Amino acid sequence: EYKKSFNLLESMKKQQFLQYSIYSTKIIDKRINIYNILMEFRDNKNNYKFTHFINNRWENIYLDVNEIPSIKPLLSLSTSYAIEVFSEIIKPHQTLMIPHSLLGYDKNEFWFNTARQGESTDTHNHINKSVVSGVFYLKAPENSANLFFKEDKHEMEVKAETSKLVLFPAELDHYVPENKSEEERISI
């Protein structure tokens, strides 16, 4: 359990993009083992469920949380960060969570995204069912492309880095340009 005595806000970098607040931090926590998450992700290829076939690739790869138990501390910590930094948009009777099967949901609302050399993710948002969105980089090689936020003609770039968590309002349009690295980028 992540205690409130440790102020999560102190470790978050806040950037303002127009009227939106975007938060990021590098997560260095012994309970979050990126290597194990990646191994469990790769070991379960036969269990992948896909959505969003765009530009000749599946953008979203779903796995049941029981197939990647190493992800549980990351989901918990990410939720704690989101509750802290977006407390002003959460009503007193509400909280935030990442829906998944262990909470009784039919569908996980977290997914993996892999981008090989030459692949990109088009502009989109997550406004339909979310208040807060986020990305955690499991593997972000140099030149594998950063995260861009966009509204009208305005854009803001956030550097993609392994072990970095980025939290932002769900209605904010975002995209990732072409991966120019020879290695794949993997995020959740």
Side-chain angles (χ1 to χ4, degrees):
E1 184 175 312
Y2 300 94
K3 297 184 169 118
K4 287 269 189 182
S5 61
F6 170 68
N7 186 350
L8 297 175
L9 288 175
E10 290 176 8
S11 66
M12 297 294 285
K13 175 183 175 186
K14 180 179 179 181
Q15 294 176 273
Q16 204 62 37
F17 175 60
L18 303 173
Q19 73 270 24
Y20 301 103
S21 296
I22 298 167
Y23 297 89
S24 63
T25 190
K26 293 274 278 196
I27 295 182
I28 299 165
D29 187 308
K30 65 182 179 181
R31 293 167 285 198
I32 297 168
N33 187 317
I34 290 175
Y35 175 80
N36 285 350
I37 295 170
L38 285 169
M39 291 306 296
E40 291 167 0
F41 173 66
R42 294 187 193 292
D43 288 348
N44 279 286
K45 281 186 179 184
N46 292 336
N47 298 320
Y48 289 178
K49 294 177 181 65
F50 302 97
T51 62
H52 300 85
F53 190 75
I54 302 170
N55 296 329
N56 294 318
R57 77 176 179 105
W58 290 103
E59 286 203 358
N60 298 356
I61 303 169
Y62 293 88
L63 280 171
D64 189 275
V65 71
N66 291 312
E67 295 163 340
I68 41 170
S70 295
I71 203 169
K72 293 174 192 175
L74 175 60
L75 297 178
S76 178
L77 184 59
S78 299
T79 301
S80 295
Y81 274 113
I83 289 169
E84 285 284 320
V85 299
F86 286 102
S87 61
E88 73 276 359
I89 64 172
I90 303 170
K91 295 178 180 143
H93 63 281
Q94 291 181 319
T95 190
L96 294 177
M97 68 173 160
I98 302 170
H100 56 77
S101 60
L102 292 180
L103 297 175
Y105 290 85
D106 292 334
K107 182 180 174 193
N108 292 330
E109 287 301 325
F110 69 90
W111 56 87
F112 291 83
N113 188 304
T114 63
R116 294 181 189 89
Q117 185 176 29
E119 295 179 336
S120 62
T121 300
D122 291 339
T123 302
H124 66 286
N125 62 48
H126 303 276
I127 196 166
N128 289 343
K129 295 182 181 176
S130 301
V131 175
V132 175
S133 291
V135 61
F136 180 76
Y137 294 97
L138 294 167
K139 182 180 176 188
E142 197 66 36
N143 297 317
S144 64
N146 293 328
L147 175 62
F148 283 81
F149 295 100
K150 181 178 181 175
E151 183 162 307
D152 299 320
K153 296 177 182 174
H154 303 280
E155 288 191 348
M156 185 181 99
E157 181 176 8
V158 175
K159 183 169 177 54
E161 300 174 88
T162 299
S163 79
K164 186 177 194 176
L165 173 68
V166 182
L167 298 170
F168 53 94
E171 73 266 17
L172 186 53
D173 285 341
H174 55 285
Y175 70 94
V176 181
E178 181 181 326
N179 178 357
K180 294 185 178 175
S181 169
E182 292 182 8
E183 299 178 61
E184 69 182 345
R185 183 187 60 254
I186 305 174
S187 60
I188 301 172

